[in-house]
Every structure is written in C-alpha cells, then in structure tokens.
Amino acid sequence: MAEPIFDRLAIIGAGLIGSSIARAARDYGAAGEIAIVDASQQVMARVRELGIADDAGGDVAQALKGADLIIICTPVGVCGVVAQAIAPHLEKGAILSDVGSVKGAVVAQIAPHVPSGVHFIPAHPLAGTEFSGPDAGFATLFQNRWSILTPLEGADVAAVARLANFWTRIGAKVETMSPEHHDKVLALTSHLPHLIAYNIVGTADDFGEQTRSEVIKFSASGFRDFTRIAASDPTMWRDIFLNNREAVLEMLGRFNEDLSALQRMIRRGDGEGLFDFFTRTRAIRRSIVEQGQDTSAPDFGRR
C-alpha cells in the first residue's frame, strides 16, 4: 500500500461523514493515525466500541497533537464555535478543512479563528445517506463521488494539492471552485431538492390520519424517494438552509416560476408542451447516469 498522505488525521464530529472518513482513511491508507473527537460522550463511547480510531479518548489537545490534517465534521451552525475551541491546539503547517454543505457561511465562521501558519481549505464531499451517527458510516461512501474544494484566495498550492490527494485516495473525484459559486450550484442540485422533499412529505403528514395511512401504505417509488431525502438529519439541514438562505431563495424563486409554467400547461391541456418539458428533464437523468453519478437500475435495496 502507498505511503500515508497525512501522518495524523483528527476528525471533529463522528457522524455519518466523520466516521466514514475515518473508516476510509484507514482502509485506503490515507492517514497513519486517526483521532476522533465528538462533543457527545455517548458518541465517543460508541466510537471506542467500533474501533474506528487510534485515539478516541475525547481530549481535544491530545487528539490534535501532531495532527497535520484536521477535518471539522459538525453541523454548519457550530463550525465557528468548534474552530475557536480547537484553534489553540492547531500546529503550524497543518491543514484545517471541513465537510459542510455551505461554504460561504463556513468560511465566515471559521476563517477568523485560523492561526497563522495553518492552511484553511474548505471542502464538501457530495456523498451521504439519510442515516446519521458513527454506526452509519462506511469506508466506500466517497467512491466515485465528487469532493469540492473551495480554497480561499492566496491559499497554499501545495496544501490544496495534498488535500486533493487525500480525497482521491479515499475514492472521491475532486473539483475546485470558489465558495460563492459552490453555494449557488449546491442550492440547486442539493438544497432545493431537499426543501421540496421536506415539503412534499410534510404535505402528506398534514392529511387526516386515514389519508396519511393510505399515503404510507400505497407509496409509489417517487414518494418513497422523497421520504428517503426527507429523513435526513434535521439539525444539519436546518443549519444549511439558514446559512445559505440567499442562494436557496434565489433558486426557489426560479423553481416557482417554472412550476407556474407547468401549471399553465396542465390547465390548458398543453400535451405537447408537457411532453417537450419531460423529454428535456429525462435527458438530464441520462447524463447523470452516463457520468457514473448514479445507476439506471432500480433503487431497491441500495444502502
């Protein structure tokens, strides 16, 4: 196996992403040692039971001692508090990163606390499931998924390349863009779909008990897919919407305009317009499959 890219990896937050990074870094030899810290003592106890870290004692200073890569894997809303708490323990030359689905707000929260000599390189792996906690992680989560790096202006080129190599080692494909561009792209491809899913499932929940039970009993694949998305971590998604509100509201406005156009087609019986619209959207689905970001097979049984 190739030499580790980092001598010691410290992960702050042992949820789905944090525990998956730990497993992947070990399985693919991306880090020599792995330390995990989480604010929950119950979570830390489970991390020790699972044996996914070399250092799971829970002491921040000890976990960060000698760490040349530190990844904050907490909800976006507390990134700033976490950065402030760990700042005194970050060693010169280390790379500090994160996995947040929002980048502009994360930069604003973390950057003021980054000590001189520490390389802050925000990141966002586009991978996940609806499950959370240390038991939900698995080493292959990032295989063939994108990890977007959003280095700040003037970032150290060698440090960016080293972090990119880390993500590549654990299976991801890497792209680089500005935090602002990232937030607009993800508002459309991730945040808006989640908002729609939450709303559709919430609408079903607003029905009377008998109708709601029938919705659950006779769920077609489309509604099932929405419920999977809507089952995602409430804390994480609350923070995402609050911290990327401008981009989400912009995309929601465009979505509402397109929805109004569809309403008019249905009202007017415009079959040709509906067919053309559905044909265009079908082509996007095919492109996603062709680029290896999903499979054309049914979603049944997928983890």
Side-chain angles (χ1 to χ4, degrees):
M1 185 177 290
E3 287 293 312
I5 297 168
F6 291 95
D7 293 329
R8 185 175 175 88
L9 164 65
I11 297 170
I12 315 297
L16 166 67
I17 301 298
S19 64
S20 291
I21 292 174
R23 290 175 167 94
R26 173 174 287 175
D27 283 9
Y28 299 109
E33 295 178 340
I34 300 168
I36 293 180
V37 178
D38 194 284
S40 167
Q41 292 303 312
Q42 183 178 358
V43 169
M44 287 306 303
R46 185 57 183 154
V47 168
R48 287 190 288 271
E49 290 173 358
L50 292 170
I52 57 176
D54 302 296
D55 181 345
D59 181 74
V60 174
Q62 176 59 37
L64 270 59
K65 188 174 182 179
D68 45 357
L69 175 61
I70 303 92
I71 304 180
I72 298 175
C73 301
T74 64
V76 171
V78 297
C79 280
V81 175
V82 171
Q84 185 175 22
I86 68 175
H89 310 293
L90 298 175
E91 299 191 7
K92 192 170 183 178
I95 294 175
L96 174 64
S97 190
D98 76 301
V99 294
S101 295
V102 178
K103 295 273 69 92
V106 164
V107 169
Q109 290 180 61
I110 294 179
H113 304 296
V114 179
S116 176
V118 172
H119 306 293
F120 174 40
I121 307 170
H124 177 204
L126 306 187
T129 72
E130 70 270 34
F131 303 108
S132 58
D135 286 276
F138 51 101
T140 57
L141 177 64
F142 310 106
Q143 290 295 313
N144 202 34
R145 298 302 180 204
W146 286 101
S147 183
I148 301 176
L149 307 188
T150 61
L152 309 186
E153 188 175 347
D156 184 83
V157 175
V160 174
R162 193 178 178 197
L163 182 60
N165 288 339
F166 173 83
W167 280 107
T168 301
R169 176 73 68 86
I170 64 175
K173 300 186 291 185
V174 177
E175 183 69 76
T176 302
M177 63 182 66
S178 71
E180 296 76 18
H181 185 62
H182 166 279
D183 287 353
K184 282 200 171 187
V185 171
L186 268 295
L188 177 60
T189 62
S190 176
H191 305 167
L192 183 59
H194 275 79
L195 189 65
I196 293 168
Y198 281 123
N199 195 56
I200 288 176
V201 177
T203 298
D205 190 53
D206 286 340
F207 282 109
E209 184 61 40
Q210 180 178 350
T211 305
R212 189 189 307 121
S213 65
E214 289 176 340
V215 166
I216 294 172
K217 181 178 180 180
F218 301 119
S219 287
S221 59
F223 187 76
R224 283 200 304 270
D225 287 344
F226 278 121
T227 60
R228 178 182 59 79
I229 296 172
S232 300
D233 188 299
T235 301
M236 180 181 76
W237 282 97
R238 175 201 64 192
D239 288 355
I240 287 172
F241 290 125
L242 293 179
N243 285 279
N244 198 28
R245 68 182 72 188
E246 290 185 11
V248 169
L249 289 173
E250 178 185 341
M251 296 304 169
L252 186 59
R254 297 182 64 171
F255 173 82
N256 284 331
E257 291 175 6
D258 291 339
L259 185 60
S260 295
L262 277 173
Q263 285 178 306
R264 288 193 295 272
M265 290 181 196
I266 295 171
R267 187 181 298 115
R268 297 169 181 171
D270 184 2
E272 184 178 347
L274 290 170
F275 182 83
D276 290 343
F277 183 81
F278 298 155
T279 299
R280 287 194 291 115
T281 59
R282 190 183 191 191
I284 291 177
R285 169 63 184 173
R286 287 174 175 168
S287 297
I288 290 173
V289 173
E290 288 170 1
Q291 291 190 22
Q293 293 305 296
D294 206 344
T295 173
S296 57
D299 207 20
F300 310 127
R302 187 184 308 173
R303 183 167 185 178

